[in-house]
Amino acid sequence: MAALIDYGSFYDLFKQGGLDVTQSDYDSFSLYAETLCEWNERMNLTAITDPLGIAQKHFYDSIYPFSLLIVSRETPLSLADIGSGAGFSGLALKLWYQNMDVTLVDSLNKKVGFLQAAAEKLDVEVKCVCGRAEELARTEEYRESFDVVTARAVANLRVLCELCLPLVKVDGKFVALKGKDAEVSEAKGALRTLGGEISQVLKYRLPDEDERSAVVVEKIRETQDRFPRSFGRIKAKPL
Ligand code: SAH
């Protein structure tokens, strides 16, 4: 069985979000889906393996919210995807926004191994980093160094703010991809403490009607040196 729905169906799916997929885009997504399914037999990367599920819940879900924020596919931005796992949303975004300077971060070695192999197969240049976000944020190289930091399905928003906001440049953005519940009210204190301000909460549906939110946070001030704390502290005493 093919790993992805055919080009016509994939085109129609993305068209529902106003996105025009070319044959060459499709070929890349298809190769990504194939590689994902192949590796998924050896290690646990995703529970979603049906061709339509991969198209909607991985590719569309990764790209559609960003298409509302970054209209031109040529925009050059630096973006870090924290807890990238099998590459959602960061590696999928790189296929859509080819001038994006993408860094994929995951704390698990084997996931980073997959990301490297997939990027190589797809012939795209992305930086794959094995590490914990809160530790990278304490290094000079990564702290406040990205235009955009994003994360999907890594932690609740309150905790995620402390993992991600220290990596965002002042005037940059943190975009959290969430389910129906955007978890905004519990995260207000953390956002303020870390120098963030919510600019918008996008509410939308996938083509299969599943409800999603994307929380867009503007970094308005530098993050104080004492953040992020160790993961133990972040979990035990969330801001
Ligand atoms: N974003 C992907 C994967 C979600 S699973 C998707 O939506 O499909 C969460 C991933 O985050 C796991 O691969 C885990 O190893 C990683 N992770 C969890 N905490 C992290 C941290 N503090 N820093 C970096 N990666 C982390």
Side-chain angles (χ1 to χ4, degrees):
M1 191 174 73
L4 193 61
I5 51 176
D6 63 71
Y7 176 46
S9 313
F10 194 84
Y11 180 89
D12 290 345
L13 189 82
F14 269 57
K15 196 68 188 171
Q16 288 188 53
L19 304 172
D20 283 303
V21 178
T22 65
Q23 178 73 49
S24 124
D25 294 330
Y26 172 78
D27 291 344
S28 301
F29 287 120
S30 181
L31 182 59
Y32 186 176
E34 233 172 71
T35 313
L36 176 67
C37 291
E38 234 172 72
W39 279 64
N40 203 45
E41 285 173 16
R42 281 182 278 141
M43 60 187 266
N44 185 20
L45 286 166
T46 176
I48 298 161
T49 53
D50 65 294
L52 180 60
I54 291 178
Q56 304 205 40
K57 295 195 191 299
H58 285 327
F59 295 140
Y60 187 97
D61 193 42
S62 292
I63 293 165
Y64 176 70
F66 285 92
S67 75
L68 304 174
L69 300 167
I70 310 167
V71 178
S72 163
R73 292 185 62 181
E74 271 73 55
T75 309
L77 279 173
S78 62
L79 174 140
D81 179 24
I82 301 306
S84 192
F88 305 112
S89 57
L91 186 53
L93 285 172
K94 179 66 185 177
L95 297 185
W96 195 252
Y97 297 102
Q98 282 160 16
N99 295 333
M100 208 179 243
D101 182 1
V102 173
T103 302
L104 307 173
V105 177
D106 204 283
S107 52
L108 286 183
N109 227 324
K110 55 178 195 164
K111 303 252 172 115
V112 177
F114 166 76
L115 292 169
Q116 260 156 351
E120 206 164 294
K121 205 153 183 193
L122 291 164
D123 197 21
V124 291
E125 249 181 72
V126 291
K127 191 163 176 187
C128 302
V129 181
C130 184
R132 298 196 58 92
E134 66 279 15
E135 289 167 12
L136 296 176
R138 305 208 67 92
T139 66
E140 211 179 311
E141 185 181 0
Y142 291 107
R143 189 177 186 84
E144 302 198 319
S145 69
F146 296 99
D147 297 319
V148 181
V149 175
T150 189
R152 186 183 88 155
V154 176
N156 68 53
L157 187 63
R158 189 173 174 184
V159 166
L160 205 53
C161 285
E162 192 165 347
L163 300 180
C164 294
L165 265 170
L167 293 161
V168 183
K169 282 182 191 166
V170 172
D171 291 332
K173 286 182 171 54
F174 162 46
V175 181
L177 302 186
K178 288 284 164 193
K180 185 178 177 191
D181 179 6
E183 307 165 355
V184 167
S185 54
E186 312 90 278
K188 287 224 161 108
L191 280 164
R192 205 171 318 116
T193 305
L194 296 159
E197 189 177 81
I198 293 201
S199 73
Q200 47 185 328
V201 180
L202 302 168
K203 295 274 184 189
Y204 54 95
R205 283 172 190 267
L206 300 184
D208 66 6
E209 296 291 309
D210 260 17
E211 294 178 76
R212 294 283 188 273
S213 345
V215 183
V216 184
V217 175
E218 212 78 44
K219 176 102 172 229
I220 53 168
R221 269 182 291 108
E222 260 181 46
T223 301
Q224 296 167 49
D225 282 347
R226 61 195 168 103
F227 302 114
R229 299 164 294 163
S230 70
F231 192 67
R233 297 283 296 168
I234 297 175
K235 277 220 80 157
K237 275 184 163 285
L239 293 171

